[in-house]
Amino acid sequence: MLKATGITKSFHTNMVLHGVDFDVLPGEVHALIGENGAGKSTLVNILSGNLSRDTGTVLFDGQEVDFAHPLDAMRAGVSVVHQELSLVPNASVAENIYLRREKTNAFGLNDWPAMFKAATEIFQRMGVDIDPRALAGSLSVGMQQLVEVAKAIALNAKLIFMDEPTSSLSEKEIQELYGVVNDLKAQGLSIVFISHKLTELFAISDRITVLRDGKLVGTRPTKQASPEEIISMMVGRHLNDLYPPRAKSIGEVIFKCRDLSLFGAVKDVSFDLRRGEILGIAGLIGSGRTEAMRALINADRRLSGTFELNGQAVTLDDPADAMEKGVIYVSEDRKSQGVFLDYDMVRNIGASTLDRQSRAGMENRKSMRQSALKFIREMDIRPARPGTRVVDLSGGNQQKVLLAKALNARPKVLIVDEPTRGVDVGAKSLIHKQLRRLADEGIGVIVVSSELPEVLGMSDRLLVFRNGTVASQLDNNDGSLTPESVMASAVD
Amino acid sequence: MTITERTIEADQTALVSRLVSSRQFWLILINLAVICTLGALRPDSFLSWINFKAVLSLMSYDVLLAVAMTTVLIVRGLDLSVGSVLALSSVVMAMLLRDGYPVFPSLLAGLAIALLCGFINGLLVVKAGILPFLVTLGMMSAARGFATVLTTGQYVSFPQAPRWFSRFARQEFGFHIGDMFYGIPALLLITLGVTLVYGLLLANWVPLRRMFYLGESPEAAKLSGMRTARLGISAYLISAIFVWIAAVLMTSANKIGYANYGISAELRALAAAVIGGASLAGGSGSILGTFLGVLLLALIGNGFVLLNGNPNWQQATIGAVLIIAVGVDALRTFRARS
Ligand SMILES: Nc1ncnc2c1ncn2[C@@H]1O[C@H](COP(=O)(O)OP(=O)(O)OP(=O)(O)O)[C@@H](O)[C@H]1O
Ligand SMILES: [Mg+2]
C-alpha cells in the first residue's frame, strides 16, 4: 500500500528523521509509537504532503509519489487526523468535514442539506452524537477530535493517518473509535495509528513500529510483541512503576468548593480537597468536568459557588484573582488556551510570574531564563534550548512547558486538565511523579483526565461527573477502584 | 548536568543568526540603502540639513500615530480612528484657546476628548466583543464628522492665545558649527523623546509586556492570570495619548486647528507599523521597527519630490512596500515550516 524508504528530514541544523523506513500493508492497522519528539508527527506530515522531505522515496500503490501539498495526498487517497486540532472554529461541523470539497447542487452552490445528511450518516456510523450544524469552535476538544476523524472518513481515503486521535477522548468514545477503525479495516482501508497509550495499540493494531530519536528501532507484529519489549525499544531501557505510590498521609482540608454552578453545564458541585491527596476527576466527555474547573476560577462566569482556602473564605473573582490566591488551572486545550505558540520557552514559562520576576517593574530576563532552565532540567524538556519557540516543540514537550508555566507560579491548589495529553510513557511517569511530589509538599492537586487508568493510578479520591453534577465520590486510597466501578457511575 | 552550559553556548551562537534574522536589522539596511541611493542621485538637495530637518519634522506626526497603531496591533486590535481623533482633539483645543481659555486646561480638554474616544473604542472591542475594524471605522467617521460640525469645516485660529504656545513646536534647539546653525525643532525632539522612552518601556516594563501575551493568545493570557479586559482597554487609551501628543504638536506648529487634519493618516500608520513588524494577528511589534517603517515611507516620499517624480506614484509605492513586507513575512513563515 505504502512503502517509504530512507526518509530524512532536518529543521535548520536539527536532524529529526534519520533515514526511516516505514511501510503499510493493505487492510492493516499499523501502530506508530515513540517518545515525545521521536519524529512521529514529522513522518506523518511528510507522508501526507504537509512537509517536504530531504531525502528518501515513497511508493504509494506501487507508484513513486511526492505529494507537494496535502490536497495532492487527499486526491491520491491519503488523509490525516492531525495531532493538533485544525478545524475552522467559525464554520459548522459539516462545513469542516467537507472543507474544500463542498458538495454542490445543480447551481454550483453549496448543497447544505446533502452535506448535513452525509455528515449525520458518518456520525451514525461512528456511533457518536454530534450536531453537524453546530459551530466547530463550540465543541469540546474531544468532540473536535471526533470531527477530525469524521473528516478523514468522509474523504473515502485508502490510507488514514491518525496522530493521537484518542488523546482527549474518554473511554466510551475510545471504544467507539475502535469500532470505527475495525470497520474501516474490514473495508480494506489501511490505518496508521499513533498513540502513547500502549494498551490501546495492543488492542487494535496488527503491527507496531517504534521510532526513537528519529531512527527506526524496529517493526513487530503485535501478536508477537509484549508491552515491556515495546517500552524498552522506545526508551532504550526498562521502565518500572508506572504510577508513583499513593499519599503517605492525608491531612486537613485545604480547599473547599461549595455549590458551584455554571449555566447549562454544571450544577451544585461541592467537594473538599485535603492536604497530601490527589483528587481525581473522571467522567465522560461533556459531563461538565472541564466546565466545572473553568467556572471555579471564573474563567466562564459562574452562577454560584463559594470557596475556602486553608480555612479562609476566598472569592476567586476571575482567573487573575484565583492565581493571586494560588488557585491555578491548567487547560486541556494547550494550543489555544495554554501556551503562547510563537514565543520561546523563557517567555512561556515566565508568563504568569512577570511581576515576581521583575526588577523595579522591569522584566528581569535573567531570572526568567534561570527559571526556564530549571524547569527544562527538572522536566527534561527537549531540545533543552530555552530560546526555542514553543511551536517548534513536539506535542509532549509543549505540554511540559505548559505545566512548567503553572508550577513556576507556585500554586497552592493546582488543577490540571488532561495533564499528560499527548505525552509519552517516560515523560508521563515523570509528570505523574511531579504531581505526586507537589501533593506530598502540601499543594492541593486536582487531576482531571479522560484516561481512566491515569485517574485511577494517580488519585487518592475520585469524583465522577455525570451531566454536570458529581455522580459519586469514590475512595481510592488503597488503589482498589476498578474501571468498571467508575464507568458504572459515569454513564446513566 | 552540562545542559546549562551547552545551552548557553548554543544561545550565544544563535545571537548572530538572530541579529541577521531580525527585522530591525534589515530595515536599517534598507533605510541606509535608500539614503545612499538618493544621496547619490541628488547630492545637493537630499544631503542638506534643511531637507533632513523637513523630512524628519514632517514624519513626526506619522511616527506618533504609528506608535499609537502599533500599541493596539500588539493586543490584536486595530485603530482606524487615529487620524480623525487627532483632528477632533486639535479642533477642541484650538476652539478653547480661541475663546480665551488658558493653555493647560485647553490641552487637557483635548486629552480628555482623545481618551474618551479611545475608551469607547476599547470598551466596544473588549467588552462588547465587536471587531476592532468595525468599531474604529465607526469612530473614524464619527470623530471627523463631529470635528467638522464643530468648526463648520473652517480653520480655527487662536490669535489671542499665549504666543509661546503657537511657537513652541517650531522652536529650534541646536548648535553652531562655523557659520551654520543646526537647529532641531522641538516638535521633532519631543516626538523622538516620547517615542524613545515609550519604546524602552514597551520592551521592558512588565505591565506593557503583558500586552504582547494578550495579543499572542487572549485565552492563554487570561488563564495565565492576566487581567485581559483591562489590558485591552489600556492599549486603546495609550493609543489615544499618542494621538493627542500629535494633535498638540500639529496645532502648535500650524497655529490652527482643523477638522481635516490627519486624513488617511491611519493607513500610513498601519502600513508603517506592519512594515516594522507588527501583525494584525497580534503579539508582535516594536517601536524601533515602527520608527524605521515610518522613516522608510518618509524617505520614499521625499525621493519622489526630489526626483520630480509624479507625486501620485508615492501612494502606489507605499502600497507596494507594504505588500512586499507582508509577502516577505509570509515567505519566511512558509520556509520555516518546510
Ligand atoms: N517546525 C519545526 N521547526 C523546528 N523543529 C521542529 C519543527 N517541528 C518539529 N520539530 C522538532 O522535530 C522533532 C520531532 O517532532 P515531532 O513533532 O515529529 O515529534 P513526535 O514524535 O510527534 O512527538 P509527540 O509525541 O510529542 O507528538 C522534535 O524535536 C521537534 O522539536
Ligand atoms: Mg506528535
Side-chain angles (χ1 to χ4, degrees):
Chain A
M1 175 104 250
L2 177 109
K3 190 167 174 57
T5 28
I7 305 286
T8 42
K9 174 75 188 174
S10 311
F11 292 106
H12 311 295
T13 55
N14 180 12
M15 193 143 171
V16 174
L17 291 176
H18 304 255
V20 171
D21 300 336
F22 182 69
D23 68 312
V24 185
L25 304 172
E28 83 162 339
V29 177
H30 194 143
L32 188 55
I33 189 168
E35 287 183 287
N36 293 132
K40 304 177 297 291
S41 300
T42 307
L43 182 62
V44 168
N45 281 327
I46 288 175
L47 296 180
S48 61
N50 214 359
L51 279 177
S52 61
R53 57 179 182 263
D54 298 343
T55 64
T57 53
V58 180
L59 292 177
F60 184 68
D61 264 352
Q63 292 196 327
E64 185 160 348
V65 289
D66 189 2
F67 303 128
H69 193 275
L71 277 178
D72 293 346
M74 280 188 205
R75 269 185 219 112
V78 176
S79 74
V80 188
V81 178
H82 281 288
Q83 178 174 16
E84 303 298 344
L85 301 172
S86 55
L87 298 180
V88 182
N90 287 324
S92 70
V93 166
E95 266 175 288
N96 267 289
I97 292 179
Y98 291 102
L99 195 66
R100 306 189 70 170
R101 301 169 296 110
E102 286 83 359
K103 289 182 186 295
T104 49
N105 57 21
F107 306 104
L109 299 172
N110 281 358
D111 187 352
W112 292 113
M115 281 199 262
F116 288 137
K117 190 158 157 277
T120 312
E121 272 164 20
I122 293 173
F123 287 134
Q124 266 165 8
R125 213 166 116 194
M126 292 170 61
V128 294
D129 180 26
I130 296 177
D131 178 7
R133 284 158 219 266
L135 290 186
S138 69
L139 302 180
S140 71
V141 178
M143 298 271 198
Q144 292 190 28
Q145 217 159 32
L146 291 172
V147 175
E148 295 267 7
V149 174
K151 192 171 159 184
I153 292 176
L155 268 166
N156 287 323
K158 291 185 239 168
L159 171 61
I160 303 182
F161 288 98
M162 299 190 179
D163 196 348
E164 305 194 24
T166 59
S167 60
S168 42
L169 298 185
S170 73
E171 207 55 40
K172 182 163 158 279
E173 288 97 356
I174 290 178
Q175 292 302 334
E176 272 152 8
L177 184 67
Y178 288 174
V180 174
V181 167
N182 283 327
D183 276 0
L184 295 173
K185 181 174 141 183
Q187 293 164 20
L189 270 79
S190 308
I191 289 162
V192 175
F193 200 97
I194 300 183
S195 169
H196 290 295
K197 300 175 191 166
L198 276 175
T199 42
E200 188 164 294
L201 299 184
F202 277 91
I204 59 162
S205 71
D206 301 308
R207 288 195 298 160
I208 302 182
T209 290
V210 181
L211 286 184
R212 181 166 80 224
D213 295 333
K215 298 188 193 79
L216 177 74
V217 182
T219 301
R220 299 271 184 282
T222 309
K223 287 210 183 69
Q224 292 161 26
S226 69
E228 291 74 32
E229 183 193 2
I230 298 294
I231 291 183
S232 65
M233 281 168 80
M234 270 173 69
V235 298
R237 67 196 138 91
H238 287 278
L239 266 189
N240 38 22
D241 284 335
L242 223 45
Y243 293 99
R246 255 156 248 283
K248 291 182 206 83
S249 67
I250 292 181
E252 77 284 5
V253 172
I254 49 179
F255 182 74
K256 254 188 203 167
C257 165
R258 290 288 174 272
D259 305 322
L260 178 64
S261 298
L262 178 76
F263 181 74
V266 179
K267 206 164 162 288
D268 297 330
V269 167
S270 300
F271 62 86
D272 290 345
L273 177 65
R274 292 173 173 279
R275 182 176 302 278
E277 79 172 348
I278 291 182
L279 179 66
I281 295 188
L284 301 181
I285 288 180
S287 62
R289 298 166 309 180
T290 296
E291 288 79 1
M293 295 303 115
R294 284 180 60 88
L296 192 147
I297 55 164
N298 229 1
D300 299 319
R301 208 133 288 283
R302 59 180 175 245
L303 290 176
S304 68
T306 52
F307 314 97
E308 248 178 50
L309 183 62
N310 293 323
Q312 303 222 308
V314 287
T315 49
L316 311 184
D317 293 326
D318 53 33
D321 181 47
M323 183 163 284
E324 276 159 23
K325 308 263 163 64
V327 180
I328 299 183
Y329 167 76
V330 179
S331 169
E332 60 171 344
D333 187 352
R334 88 173 149 247
K335 194 172 146 198
S336 66
Q337 307 192 351
V339 292
F340 301 90
L341 282 172
D342 285 336
Y343 293 166
D344 64 11
M345 292 199 240
V346 177
R347 293 183 74 182
N348 269 279
I349 294 176
S352 303
T353 51
L354 292 175
D355 270 326
R356 195 183 81 217
Q357 304 192 303
S358 65
R359 206 183 290 142
M362 302 294 163
E363 219 173 52
N364 185 349
R365 298 215 176 80
K366 214 167 144 196
S367 142
M368 287 170 73
R369 219 186 118 84
Q370 232 98 60
S371 322
L373 276 170
K374 182 182 133 225
F375 283 106
I376 287 172
R377 222 171 307 137
E378 252 171 45
M379 313 197 75
D380 191 22
I381 301 174
R382 283 180 243 178
R385 234 176 295 124
T388 313
R389 291 190 315 161
V390 166
V391 69
D392 294 334
L393 295 175
S394 76
N397 283 302
Q398 291 184 3
Q399 185 69 29
K400 293 187 198 168
V401 170
L402 178 58
L403 270 178
K405 178 178 72 156
L407 294 188
N408 196 16
R410 298 180 183 156
K412 294 197 181 95
V413 173
L414 178 66
I415 305 167
V416 283
D417 202 343
E418 309 289 358
T420 61
R421 206 182 129 210
V423 172
D424 68 50
V425 272
K428 197 165 176 172
S429 105
L430 189 144
I431 289 175
H432 288 154
K433 286 203 184 92
Q434 294 263 358
L435 292 174
R436 178 53 75 188
R437 204 199 68 212
L438 293 173
D440 287 343
E441 285 169 4
I443 293 164
V445 178
I446 300 179
V447 176
V448 182
S449 174
S450 311
E451 211 187 317
L452 265 184
E454 176 171 79
V455 257
L456 289 177
M458 287 300 294
S459 56
D460 303 297
R461 210 152 43 85
L462 196 59
L463 302 183
V464 184
F465 271 61
R466 188 175 67 211
N467 299 331
T469 58
V470 178
S472 62
Q473 281 211 34
L474 306 169
D475 201 47
N476 191 33
N477 204 358
D478 48 2
S480 60
L481 270 186
T482 60
E484 289 72 29
S485 58
V486 177
M487 286 310 283
S489 36
V491 289
D492 14 31
Chain B
M1 277 268 178
T2 53
I3 285 182
T4 325
E5 292 102 67
R6 255 193 288 131
T7 306
I8 288 168
E9 208 171 286
D11 272 17
Q12 273 164 353
T13 45
L15 212 65
V16 179
S17 71
R18 243 196 345 238
L19 178 70
V20 176
S21 67
S22 100
R23 182 178 207 104
Q24 282 96 330
F25 177 76
W26 288 106
L27 278 173
I28 289 175
L29 287 190
I30 293 171
N31 272 307
L32 284 176
V34 175
I35 289 174
C36 292
T37 314
L38 289 176
L41 292 175
R42 287 283 181 280
D44 309 333
S45 46
F46 180 72
L47 293 176
S48 73
W49 181 249
I50 306 280
N51 186 48
F52 271 136
K53 201 166 71 180
V55 171
L56 290 172
S57 304
L58 262 179
M59 76 178 241
S60 287
Y61 311 117
D62 278 351
V63 169
L64 292 165
L65 296 186
V67 167
M69 185 67 81
T70 305
T71 308
V72 289
L73 285 177
I74 286 173
V75 297
R76 208 183 271 193
L78 180 68
D79 192 350
L80 295 177
S81 68
V82 287
S84 313
V85 173
L86 181 152
L88 179 59
S89 176
S90 148
V91 159
V92 167
M93 291 187 288
M95 287 173 77
L96 291 174
L97 287 168
R98 178 195 64 195
D99 297 345
Y101 287 94
V103 175
F104 283 106
S106 308
L107 296 191
L108 283 181
L111 176 60
I113 195 95
L115 284 175
L116 179 69
C117 296
F119 187 66
I120 294 173
N121 281 338
L123 211 59
L124 289 176
V125 170
V126 174
K127 289 282 188 187
I130 310 175
L131 282 180
F133 179 85
L134 298 178
V135 170
T136 61
L137 186 70
M139 180 59 77
M140 169 171 142
S141 220
R144 176 88 58 206
F146 191 44
T148 313
V149 169
L150 280 179
T151 61
T152 61
Q154 307 293 313
Y155 295 126
V156 183
S157 58
F158 35 85
Q160 275 83 334
R163 301 201 48 171
W164 71 264
F165 178 73
S166 39
R167 278 197 182 151
F168 89 92
R170 290 204 183 279
Q171 184 79 49
E172 298 201 350
F173 299 88
F175 41 86
H176 289 274
I177 297 179
D179 304 338
M180 270 294 283
F181 175 69
Y182 292 90
I184 305 173
L187 158 72
L188 181 56
L189 283 175
I190 292 174
T191 301
L192 292 179
V194 174
T195 307
L196 180 71
V197 171
Y198 182 64
L200 288 175
L201 287 177
L202 194 61
N204 294 293
W205 193 39
V206 166
L208 295 180
R209 296 302 292 165
R210 292 211 173 91
M211 298 198 310
F212 287 88
Y213 288 95
L214 169 60
E216 173 68 18
S217 171
E219 278 298 320
K222 179 169 146 191
L223 291 181
S224 300
M226 302 184 191
R227 299 210 148 80
T228 46
R230 207 182 286 176
L231 268 177
I233 295 176
S234 310
Y236 285 91
L237 293 179
I238 295 173
S239 163
I241 292 174
F242 280 96
V243 170
W244 169 72
I245 297 174
V248 171
L249 295 178
M250 199 178 268
T251 310
S252 162
N254 297 347
K255 302 186 179 63
I256 44 172
Y258 186 34
N260 283 347
Y261 277 159
I263 284 185
S264 81
E266 60 284 336
L267 295 182
R268 284 197 307 278
L270 183 60
V274 170
I275 290 169
S279 152
L280 286 166
S284 60
S286 74
I287 297 305
L288 177 60
T290 296
F291 179 84
L292 293 169
V294 179
L295 183 64
L296 183 59
L297 297 186
L299 287 172
I300 291 173
N302 188 233
F304 274 105
V305 175
L306 294 180
L307 301 174
N308 299 323
N310 180 346
N312 293 325
W313 275 108
Q314 187 179 332
Q315 197 164 4
T317 314
I318 292 178
V321 172
L322 178 65
I323 290 172
I324 291 171
V326 176
V328 168
D329 274 348
L331 206 68
R332 278 190 353 166
T333 32
F334 178 76
R335 272 229 307 262
R337 257 176 44 80
S338 54

